[in-house]
Amino acid sequence: MVADYYEMLGIPQGADRAAVEEALARCQPKWSAGARNPKHRHTYHSYLDQIPAIRATLLGDPTARASYDAELAALRRAELDRKLDEIQRLVRLRASKGGLTVSDRDRLRREADRIGVPAEELDRLLEPIAPMPEAPAEADEPDEPTPDVIDSATRGQIRRTLEHLGRRDLYDALGLQRDAPQAEVVSRADDERRRWRQKSRVTAEMTAWLEAVSYAQSHLGTPGARARYDRTLEFEAEERFLGAVRFCLEGEARLASGAKAALVVEGESLGIGPDRADRLIRRACRGMGVASGEAPEARTEPAGPIRLLRCRSCRGVTQHRDAEKNGRACRHCGDSLRWECPICKRGRWVDEPRCACGFRLELREPMLRHFEAARRAHKARDYASALAHLHRIQEFAPDHAGTRKAVERVKQRLSEIERARSGFEQELSRRHLLKAQSALRAWASMVDPTDPEVRKAFDEVNRGLREARSLSARGSSLLGSDPAEARTLLRRALEWSADLDEARDALRRCPPDPPTDLRAEVERDAVVLRWTPPAPDGLGPVSIRVVRKARGVPASPADGTVIAETDATECRDPAASPGEVVGYAAFGRRDGVDSVAPAVVGPVLVLADVQDVRVDARSGEVGLSWRLPRGATGVRVARKQGSPPTGPDDGVRVDALPDGAGDRGLDDDRVYHYRIFACYRTPEGKERLSRGVSIAAMPHPPVSGLISLVPAPMPDGRVHFSWEEPERGQVKILRSDRPPALLEGQRIPAGQADALEGHWLATTATDHAVDARPPTSGLCYYTPFTFWAGTCAVGRPVASTRIPDPSELRAVRIGGSGRVHLRWRWSPATSQSLVLLKAGAPADGPDDPAADRLVVSELEYGRQGFAPLDLPPGEVAPYHITVLGLAEVDGRILHSPGVEPTARTVVPGPSPEVSVSYSIRRPRLPGRPWALAVQTDPPGSPVPPMVLVGHPRTVPLTADDGELIAAIPSGRGGDSFRIPPVHRISDFRLRLFVDPTLPIDQIPPIRLRHPEAERTRV
């Protein structure tokens, strides 16, 4: 419902802006004070809440005020129609007896003045009703007693709250029917109170709703209170009905039958049944002295009340029967006296204020006006206004399908506008002005073209595109003359518009910078060019194109021969002819575009040095050999002690042939420096020398290659190498997968030895070295080299293998003879094993002459399950047995290194073993130590350290199979040992074992005989 801002401010509708502001300043303090009065707090609080809307409507856009004035006029017209409907209802009641008396017309005029209906409008309503004479009154009778209802003060408070919210009663405020279950009423009241309590901002509407919910909880919360409120509603309905009856009977002497029928219909509209309405009519008649029976003489009265139809256009009145005869048109202006419900499309007479679907006639005109305003706003692309008008229509008719569809279409268009706007802002934030312009056009096509935000966006995009295109054009014009400035301008253009194709294409075609500091040096048989690459410009990698030109410097990439295009910082030109004068230019190149200016060097005279220089130092002489480059006419060699010669005349000149020279009469073990220069003849006949190649040599007696290299595997997996220290030189060892392609004793330059494939071991001393990380498997070769005076002598290679050792060797004596059965875990890389047997000490490798050797094949071992071994007779000392793995590699039989500790064991000699038996005795008194007695056979034999092991559930089988109870020191047969009662020994099963921490070579050959009784029984 639209509030009347002019009435609230007390100003006329045509008041100007200054009058509105003055009225606001005057009324705002009054409203603030009135909001503290409980009687009017909802009204004034709502006035305060509407101050922003008043300013936006009356002091904002003139079109908004005009729209409000039009809606207010429609509201006032609807209010006048409501008043006319009310006075027409009273006229129908007074005329139901067949006409109106003079007193009836006076009463109707007084009521019209009270309601606010103009006199001319009332005259139109009274015109078709016939006059009637006055009738005498009857005697008065007493009224019925007042029922138990809510007091009048509380009813007044509830009524004011409901009128502020526009609700009929507390049931309507909760959105329930009067016959709703009690539990649903209580639950709905609690939900409504909780919903309004969750709102953060306190408004007049929130206060009124909470007050209405509080009244509902008080008067509907219990069945008794609810029954009282229902009686109150019936009482108020009867009071309203009695008011209508009194108005109908005022000044009458007798109640006409037509009037009574009309009053019964009026009571039914208020929810009062015919019987109750008849009793109330009779009570009112008695109270007003009006006869309620029939008249004594018969009079002709209408069968029912007169039905009058008031035209909504001219306010004229037409009887219903006349309207049906005249095509349902007003007899005054000819307009239709029926209206069509916009919800259900059914026709109704104008005196029917509400359609059967619930739509009220007074809302039809505002609804049609808002719909037309929404249509015009949608056509003008003012979707916010269109949506506001449609929401107003939904307030009038929430179930109107056309409005719902229109709202969906407007929201869909608003979402499309928001997507277009979001796309524009996204592209603008990325500085893609072309895409932003396209998105902006799509956005502008859906909104008002005069929207200031759209115009501002167009100005921003167009200004940016103009600036970007201007910078792009200036940068494109400088591509061939000033690439650096062109790149700067094009980058600035792309900063304005990152998707400007002409700027991107021009930047892609921009020539790169050339390299700097181009240098040319002649090395051996080629010219080496070096340069500094250009600084990165952010446009991609730049390659360097090098161009050579004879007797000049290239001016362009096509002016000469392209010798290289590389990403490195140097290149070689092996095709330059020695003695030739050439010039070089280096161009930067990217995507097929060369730099405008190159880096140049030259002209350069190509003076190549001799190549493949070799030195052969012998006692008292040095031999030099080389390969003369093409174009050289000769060679000059200079010798000097202490430092290399700086030129051909710095030192002693040595006679030389084109491919070598010999320098004799030198002192041994002294270093001589040589510099070899290649000689060239220029076209003018002048001799030019190359830069020269320096080399040092030391005459010395010949050094022999190392022969005796002895490898020895170490327990931690490393390999130890030892040799006899040579008289002169340093020994280095090369580990490789295959022997070097060199002969034993061959002498080669030290540089050639360093270039051999393989790994040089770190030398820790002059007579030995260690390979810390040998290969884990396979065959490798270790070759010694003796370095001395820039040369080295090749020694004899030694093959080494990384075959894994066998493990878990066990030896079992068979009876009292010398037969032993050996068992072990085979290495996965071997098919044979080598058993070494030596008395008194372990064998010193597989080649130990004092050890007996036995080769066992895996096939034979697998067939028997063990390897038998007969000990030699006559030896008393224990025998040490070692097992090595054997494998054939490259036609050679190789053995494992023998560093696995479990691949060794010790067995006693042929003499009998010492048998050790023992017994464990309990103490006689609890808490005393247990006793362990040891006996040997032969008696008195030594016994090694032992351990007593216990297990709570089973008899231990090894020293690790349980808990250590006690450690028994070494002794002899017949000794007794005390076991401290640290553990509850009676809870354990016990056995005695040799101390497993003893070294294997310190354990004498003994045999333990465990007692088969009590705690040691299996």
Side-chain angles (χ1 to χ4, degrees):
M1 183 176 179
V2 179
D4 190 348
Y5 298 152
Y6 299 107
E7 182 181 356
M8 293 165 54
L9 297 174
I11 58 176
Q13 187 169 351
D16 58 2
R17 185 183 185 90
V20 174
E21 292 178 348
E22 181 182 357
L24 271 174
R26 182 181 67 255
C27 294
Q28 189 169 354
K30 183 177 67 174
W31 295 344
S32 299
R36 293 189 289 271
N37 186 349
K39 187 175 181 179
H40 305 290
R41 65 174 180 270
H42 297 316
T43 302
Y44 287 119
H45 200 173
S46 66
Y47 289 175
L48 293 174
D49 292 341
Q50 295 181 71
I51 288 178
I54 294 174
R55 293 186 179 277
T57 303
L58 301 184
L59 300 178
D61 190 6
T63 58
R65 182 170 181 177
S67 176
Y68 169 76
D69 290 342
E71 189 171 356
L72 182 61
L75 176 66
R76 289 174 175 174
R77 180 177 177 182
E79 181 66 19
L80 179 59
D81 288 340
R82 187 188 63 79
K83 294 177 180 180
L84 289 174
D85 291 340
E86 177 65 19
I87 198 65
Q88 185 178 358
R89 183 180 66 85
L90 298 177
V91 170
R92 185 173 67 251
L93 292 175
R94 295 295 299 188
S96 59
K97 59 183 178 292
L100 294 174
T101 64
V102 175
S103 59
D104 290 338
R105 295 179 187 273
D106 293 340
R107 291 184 181 89
L108 288 172
R109 286 189 177 91
R110 288 194 301 270
E111 188 67 20
D113 292 340
R114 187 186 65 81
I115 295 175
V117 176
E120 60 274 11
E121 297 293 343
L122 179 61
D123 293 340
R124 287 177 178 272
L125 294 176
L126 300 179
E127 179 184 357
I129 302 175
M132 287 187 63
E134 302 290 344
E138 294 182 357
D140 191 9
E141 293 184 5
D143 293 335
E144 295 180 2
T146 303
D148 181 20
V149 295
I150 301 174
D151 61 277
S152 59
T154 305
R155 292 203 308 269
Q157 294 176 1
I158 296 175
R159 183 172 59 256
R160 284 190 294 272
T161 301
L162 294 175
E163 287 176 354
H164 180 78
L165 297 177
R167 295 295 187 269
R168 298 187 305 274
D169 50 34
L170 295 179
Y171 291 104
D172 190 21
L174 295 179
L176 298 174
Q177 299 294 330
R178 290 185 60 178
D179 58 351
Q182 182 68 30
E184 184 177 358
V185 173
V186 174
S187 176
R188 180 65 61 85
D190 293 340
D191 293 342
E192 286 295 317
R193 187 176 190 86
R194 191 181 305 109
R195 181 172 69 89
W196 283 101
R197 283 293 185 185
Q198 290 177 352
K199 298 184 180 297
S200 58
R201 184 171 177 264
V202 179
T203 61
E205 181 184 14
M206 174 182 174
T207 305
W209 273 106
L210 288 174
E211 188 170 351
V213 172
S214 178
Y215 286 139
Q217 290 177 329
S218 300
H219 298 289
L220 301 179
T222 62
R226 182 178 179 183
R228 189 182 185 196
Y229 179 73
D230 291 342
R231 288 194 300 270
T232 303
L233 293 180
E234 294 173 359
F235 175 75
E236 290 178 347
E238 291 178 357
E239 287 292 325
R240 289 194 296 271
F241 177 69
L242 288 174
V245 172
R246 292 188 187 98
F247 179 81
C248 182
L249 297 178
E250 189 176 357
E252 297 289 342
R254 181 178 297 279
L255 176 63
S257 60
K260 184 176 181 180
L263 289 174
V264 171
V265 173
E266 181 69 16
E268 291 176 351
S269 66
L270 294 175
I272 302 174
D275 296 339
R276 181 61 178 169
D278 185 62
R279 287 194 299 271
L280 292 175
I281 291 172
R282 288 199 304 271
R283 189 178 68 182
C285 289
R286 287 194 303 270
M288 298 180 66
V290 177
S292 59
E294 296 293 335
E297 66 270 4
R299 294 188 301 172
T300 303
E301 292 185 357
I306 301 174
R307 187 176 182 182
L308 301 177
L309 303 177
R310 180 174 50 83
C311 179
R312 298 290 173 173
S313 300
C314 66
R315 305 290 193 276
V317 179
T318 305
Q319 289 192 17
H320 179 266
R321 60 175 179 268
D322 295 336
E324 287 184 338
K325 295 177 182 179
N326 298 331
R328 303 177 180 178
C330 176
R331 65 187 180 88
H332 302 284
C333 65
D335 285 351
S336 175
L337 295 177
R338 292 181 65 84
W339 62 281
E340 182 182 353
C341 177
I343 304 300
C344 61
K345 304 302 181 183
R346 296 176 183 174
R348 299 287 176 183
W349 291 102
V350 292
D351 64 341
E352 298 178 276
R354 185 184 294 269
C355 180
C357 66
F359 185 76
R360 301 195 304 273
L361 172 61
E362 63 183 19
L363 300 178
R364 183 175 181 273
E365 288 299 327
M367 177 178 175
L368 296 177
R369 185 171 59 257
H370 279 292
F371 202 86
E372 180 62 24
R375 188 186 63 81
R376 289 196 302 268
H378 188 275
K379 186 176 181 180
R381 301 176 186 173
D382 187 1
Y383 301 108
S385 299
L387 197 60
H389 286 295
L390 292 175
H391 285 324
R392 289 290 295 165
I393 295 174
Q394 287 185 327
E395 293 177 5
F396 300 151
D399 299 330
H400 191 219
T403 305
R404 185 173 62 254
K405 294 180 181 178
V407 170
E408 292 176 357
R409 287 196 297 270
V410 172
K411 288 184 177 179
Q412 182 180 0
R413 177 51 62 94
L414 288 176
S415 64
E416 294 174 357
I417 293 173
E418 187 60 30
R419 284 196 298 269
R421 177 179 178 178
S422 176
F424 161 72
E425 292 177 349
Q426 183 178 4
E427 297 297 342
L428 185 64
S429 64
R430 296 165 57 191
R431 307 307 300 172
H432 291 175
L433 294 188
L434 291 178
K435 295 181 180 178
Q437 187 182 53
S438 177
L440 180 58
R441 289 172 180 168
W443 176 25
S445 66
M446 293 184 286
V447 299
D448 186 4
T450 61
D451 188 350
E453 187 176 5
V454 175
R455 304 314 313 165
K456 180 180 178 181
F458 268 115
D459 293 341
E460 182 180 0
V461 171
N462 292 336
R463 182 176 66 255
L465 285 176
R466 285 195 301 270
E467 186 69 22
R469 289 191 173 104
S470 174
L471 292 172
S472 177
R474 290 168 54 193
S476 300
S477 64
L478 297 176
L479 290 179
S481 58
D482 192 352
E485 181 65 18
R487 281 195 297 271
T488 302
L489 295 175
L490 292 174
R491 282 197 175 96
R492 288 176 56 192
L494 291 176
E495 289 177 359
W496 279 96
S497 178
D499 59 345
L500 191 63
D501 293 337
E502 53 262 35
R504 284 205 301 259
D505 294 342
L507 194 61
R508 192 179 301 113
R509 292 183 285 104
C510 183
D513 292 333
T516 57
D517 192 19
L518 180 62
R519 305 176 301 278
E521 298 178 0
V522 180
E523 295 182 2
R524 296 185 180 181
D525 58 345
V527 177
V528 179
L529 299 167
R530 297 182 177 87
W531 57 83
T532 301
D537 55 6
L539 300 179
V542 178
S543 61
I544 306 300
R545 172 176 280 193
V546 182
V547 182
R548 181 188 66 228
K549 182 179 180 181
R551 297 186 179 85
V553 177
S556 67
D559 186 19
T561 303
V562 178
I563 63 172
E565 182 172 344
T566 178
D567 297 334
T569 57
E570 66 177 35
C571 72
R572 297 174 59 85
D573 182 15
S577 301
E580 183 182 7
V581 177
V582 294
Y584 293 93
F587 296 86
R589 185 176 180 83
R590 179 175 51 224
D591 296 335
V593 180
D594 297 306
S595 59
V596 176
V600 298
V601 64
V604 178
L605 178 61
V606 181
L607 302 175
D609 283 311
V610 296
Q611 304 172 16
D612 297 337
V613 178
R614 298 186 179 184
V615 178
D616 184 15
R618 293 179 292 273
S619 178
E621 63 177 334
V622 173
L624 301 174
S625 62
W626 56 79
R627 181 166 58 86
L628 194 65
R630 292 182 297 107
T633 59
V635 177
R636 293 181 62 179
V637 180
R639 183 191 68 208
K640 185 179 179 182
Q641 295 184 14
S643 62
T646 58
D649 299 327
D650 183 16
V652 179
R653 182 170 181 176
V654 179
D655 295 334
L657 297 175
D659 58 351
D663 191 11
R664 296 178 176 83
L666 304 177
D667 297 333
D668 288 341
D669 298 332
R670 177 172 295 181
V671 178
Y672 294 90
H673 297 272
Y674 297 89
R675 196 175 185 90
I676 307 171
F677 303 89
C679 302
Y680 295 90
R681 291 287 179 179
T682 63
E684 294 81 9
K686 295 182 179 181
E687 185 181 46
R688 299 289 297 273
L689 301 179
S690 66
R691 188 176 58 177
V693 177
S694 297
I695 194 170
M698 182 175 65
H700 59 82
V703 178
S704 61
L706 186 66
I707 297 178
S708 58
L709 182 64
V710 180
M714 302 176 69
D716 57 359
R718 297 181 297 170
V719 181
H720 179 273
F721 295 92
S722 59
W723 59 83
E724 294 183 1
E725 184 177 355
E727 296 179 359
R728 61 166 57 90
Q730 180 184 8
V731 177
K732 294 183 179 180
I733 300 176
L734 176 68
R735 186 188 69 209
S736 58
D737 296 337
R738 56 182 59 87
L742 301 171
L743 300 177
E744 182 180 348
Q746 182 179 350
R747 291 175 177 83
I748 60 175
Q752 182 180 352
D754 292 337
L756 292 176
E757 183 179 358
H759 172 72
W760 292 93
L761 303 185
T763 304
T764 58
T766 58
D767 60 348
H768 67 272
V770 176
D771 188 359
R773 294 183 179 180
T776 57
S777 62
L779 179 65
C780 63
Y781 294 87
Y782 293 89
T783 305
F785 290 82
T786 304
F787 288 81
W788 176 255
T791 63
C792 64
V794 182
R796 179 182 300 173
V798 175
S800 177
T801 179
R802 297 301 297 173
I803 300 173
D805 282 321
S807 61
E808 300 181 13
L809 175 63
R810 301 180 303 278
V812 179
R813 290 287 297 269
I814 305 301
S817 63
R819 174 62 62 93
V820 178
H821 287 180
L822 302 178
R823 293 181 177 87
W824 63 85
R825 185 184 296 276
W826 285 73
S827 170
T830 61
S831 60
Q832 291 182 330
S833 294
L834 177 63
V835 180
L836 301 177
L837 176 67
K838 185 177 180 181
D844 296 332
D847 299 328
D848 189 350
D852 295 338
R853 297 164 53 92
L854 175 64
V855 177
V856 180
S857 66
E858 187 176 9
L859 180 62
E860 181 181 355
Y861 180 92
R863 184 167 55 250
Q864 298 182 5
F866 58 88
L869 178 66
D870 292 328
L871 301 178
E875 292 289 343
V876 178
Y879 284 91
H880 292 261
I881 302 176
T882 304
V883 180
L884 304 178
L886 298 179
E888 183 176 357
V889 179
D890 295 339
R892 299 177 58 185
I893 300 298
L894 303 178
H895 58 82
S896 62
V899 296
E900 173 62 37
T902 62
R904 302 176 183 177
T905 188
V906 179
V907 296
S911 59
E913 297 175 324
V914 176
S915 296
V916 178
S917 59
Y918 61 95
S919 61
I920 302 174
R921 294 192 299 273
R922 292 173 176 268
R924 294 184 178 181
L925 297 177
R928 296 294 183 88
W930 290 49
L932 173 67
V934 180
Q935 301 295 331
T936 61
D937 185 19
S941 300
V943 178
M946 313 285 279
V947 291
L948 184 63
V949 179
H951 195 282
R953 292 185 301 275
T954 183
V955 174
L957 300 179
T958 63
D960 299 329
D961 188 14
E963 185 176 350
L964 179 64
I965 302 299
I968 310 302
S970 60
R972 290 186 173 274
D975 292 346
S976 181
F977 303 93
R978 292 181 178 274
I979 304 175
V982 179
H983 301 79
R984 292 180 57 87
I985 302 178
S986 60
D987 295 339
F988 289 87
R989 295 181 178 271
L990 308 173
R991 275 202 172 179
L992 193 67
F993 298 97
V994 178
D995 190 350
T997 61
L998 292 177
I1000 192 172
D1001 54 353
Q1002 296 182 13
I1003 300 176
I1006 64 174
R1007 175 179 295 179
L1008 281 171
R1009 293 183 177 179
H1010 303 285
E1012 297 294 332
E1014 297 183 356
R1015 309 305 300 173
T1016 59
R1017 185 179 181 87
V1018 177

